[in-house]
Amino acid sequence: MSKSKSDSKKSTNLKIRQRRIFSESFKREKVQELTAGLYTVHSFSKLWEVAPYTVYRWIYKYSPQHKKGTVMVVQQESEAQKTAELLAQVAELERRLGQKQMQLDYLEKLVELASKEYDIDIKKNFKVKL
C-alpha cells in the first residue's frame, strides 16, 4: 500500500487577515469608550483584533487628556499622604476584625456555658445553614 501525495501532505490553512481601515469617527468613538473605562487597551485590542500599539496611537491622537510624552511627576508628599491613608485604612480594618473576633469569642463562650447549664451539646444539635 502506497500513500498518495495528497495523503502524505497535511493541508495547512493560512489565516491571512485582510487589511482593515477604521474610520476617524470609529476611532474617536472607541477612544472615548477607552478613556471612560469601558475597555482596557488589552481587552479592546483582542476584541477588535488591533495591535495594542495601534490602540495607543489612537489614544494619543484623539484623546485630549492623553498626549504622547506626558510625564507624571510623583512627589514625596503625595506618596506619604497616600501611605498614611492606607495605613489608616488598615488600622480601621484591624479594629473591625478585632471587634468581630471578640463577638465570636463571646458567642462561643455563651454556647459553652449554656451547654453546661442545660446539659445539652448545643454545638452538636445546632445545624448552621449557609
Side-chain angles (χ1 to χ4, degrees):
M1 286 191 171
S2 66
K3 292 184 180 180
S4 67
K5 286 186 177 183
S6 63
D7 290 341
S8 64
K9 292 184 179 180
K10 293 183 180 180
S11 65
T12 58
N13 293 332
L14 294 176
K15 185 178 177 183
I16 299 174
R17 190 171 55 152
Q18 296 283 328
R19 182 169 183 231
R20 299 174 296 165
I21 299 175
F22 296 97
S23 68
E24 189 171 328
S25 61
F26 175 85
K27 292 175 188 178
R28 287 184 188 279
E29 179 184 331
K30 296 307 172 188
V31 166
Q32 284 179 348
E33 292 175 2
L34 281 163
T35 56
L38 298 177
Y39 302 106
T40 63
V41 172
H42 181 72
S43 65
F44 179 84
S45 65
K46 278 190 165 188
L47 177 68
W48 290 99
E49 295 180 356
V50 177
Y53 174 76
T54 304
V55 177
Y56 280 111
R57 277 196 345 231
W58 293 358
I59 291 171
Y60 296 143
K61 187 172 182 179
Y62 298 112
S63 174
Q65 300 98 337
H66 302 87
K67 293 297 177 191
K68 193 170 187 172
T70 304
V71 177
M72 180 191 299
V73 177
V74 178
Q75 296 183 359
Q76 188 65 28
E77 294 83 30
S78 65
E79 287 298 310
Q81 181 182 0
K82 186 186 250 185
T83 303
E85 289 172 1
L86 290 173
L87 288 173
Q89 185 179 8
V90 167
E92 174 64 19
L93 291 172
E94 287 176 342
R95 184 186 65 78
R96 288 183 185 176
L97 181 64
Q99 287 178 341
K100 293 296 181 185
Q101 186 61 47
M102 287 176 54
Q103 288 176 350
L104 183 62
D105 292 344
Y106 174 78
L107 291 174
E108 285 180 352
K109 188 65 174 175
L110 186 66
V111 167
E112 180 186 323
L113 291 174
S115 294
K116 286 181 182 176
E117 179 70 27
Y118 296 110
D119 199 27
I120 301 172
D121 191 3
I122 295 175
K123 283 186 181 180
K124 194 178 220 181
N125 294 332
F126 183 72
K127 297 197 184 213
V128 177
K129 293 182 181 178
L130 297 176

